[in-house]
Amino acid sequence: MGADQALILMCGATAAWLSQDQRPARSRWACLFGLASQPFFLLSTWRAEQWGMFLLAILYTAAWSKGAWSYWLAPALRHRIRHVQSIRRPKRG
């Protein structure tokens, strides 16, 4: 087993395991582990000319990216916007 296969296995299995955790603090990490495996998955399927699997890897990348947006990026952006708005509001009193 090559290094790329080992990384796909470790990150992919961790992502799948975490995605089924009922604790949101843990399940939100699934998308990051899933995304971590995608470069290796994409490269491996490209080199092997497995075009169906390559397309599947692209779809997985989109799905994991959606999770990264939902659990990490959007909340951080909302927090940042609220912070900036609170600074710009004049204090009453």
Side-chain angles (χ1 to χ4, degrees):
M1 177 183 307
D4 59 340
Q5 297 281 324
L7 287 167
I8 292 168
L9 174 65
M10 289 186 300
C11 291
T14 302
W17 186 267
L18 288 172
S19 74
Q20 300 307 305
D21 199 305
Q22 293 191 10
R23 293 165 286 193
R26 289 191 182 183
S27 66
R28 69 190 297 239
W29 287 91
C31 58
L32 299 184
F33 280 95
L35 278 174
S37 71
Q38 290 313 106
F40 306 105
F41 195 7
L42 288 162
L43 184 60
S44 177
T45 56
W46 179 270
R47 285 183 178 164
E49 297 181 4
Q50 295 176 332
W51 306 121
M53 292 299 291
F54 183 76
L55 179 59
L56 181 62
I58 291 171
L59 295 173
Y60 277 147
T61 302
W64 291 128
S65 296
K66 183 179 178 185
W69 173 259
S70 297
Y71 290 109
W72 295 93
L73 300 174
L77 183 60
R78 284 192 299 271
H79 175 74
R80 179 74 176 166
I81 289 170
R82 281 194 303 267
H83 176 70
V84 169
Q85 288 173 342
S86 70
I87 293 173
R88 291 185 178 167
R89 285 189 194 135
K91 295 187 179 187
R92 298 177 185 166

